[in-house]
Amino acid sequence: MISVLLLKNQPAELGLPDGYTSFSFPNGAASMQRVSAPDSPMHVKIDWQASKPPTQNTVNVLWESRPIGGKLLSVTVKASSSDTAVNTRTIEDRLIAKFVSQTGIRLIASGR
């Protein structure tokens, strides 16, 4: 089951203002944490970060995908930013939209 969206998009496609870098893993491999046991369905938490040099402003995204039954998956996306010009809700919405647009993914319910 697909549980993670790989970010290969340009910053503007995901709602980042001009001047921000693409999302990356701020803590390297530690930015992706498997929460579930190795023999259980994949439950992961992933941290992404984009920055705007030289202002030191950052946008942080926490992505969590958790299996909830045989073929169902709960995905939570939470964005935060040190820059008030960043619309974090737009970033969250675009990430979820990109995820559900993948082949084999169907949105059943959505909420905040």
Side-chain angles (χ1 to χ4, degrees):
M1 178 185 303
I2 298 171
S3 63
V4 178
L5 178 70
L6 296 176
L7 297 176
K8 297 192 286 186
N9 302 90
Q10 297 299 316
E13 289 180 89
L14 300 175
L16 289 168
D18 289 340
Y20 275 85
T21 62
S22 295
F23 282 105
S24 63
F25 298 106
N27 300 313
S31 294
M32 183 170 170
Q33 175 187 18
R34 182 174 181 151
V35 180
S36 58
D39 57 342
S40 298
M42 183 74 80
H43 175 184
V44 295
K45 288 185 179 181
I46 302 170
D47 292 311
W48 289 308
Q49 186 176 75
S51 60
K52 184 176 183 179
T55 66
Q56 304 297 326
N57 284 329
T58 59
V59 176
N60 296 289
V61 173
L62 174 63
W63 175 284
E64 181 176 3
S65 59
R66 176 177 59 256
I68 52 172
K71 294 186 178 186
L72 298 177
L73 181 70
S74 169
V75 174
T76 303
V77 178
K78 181 63 182 157
S80 61
S81 179
S82 60
D83 184 351
T84 58
V86 173
N87 185 335
T88 54
R89 187 170 186 165
T90 295
I91 293 168
E92 294 165 355
D93 290 346
R94 288 187 182 177
L95 286 169
I96 289 293
K98 289 209 174 276
F99 182 72
V100 299
S101 71
Q102 303 302 304
T103 302
I105 303 292
R106 183 174 52 151
L107 182 64
I108 295 175
S110 178
R112 293 202 181 268

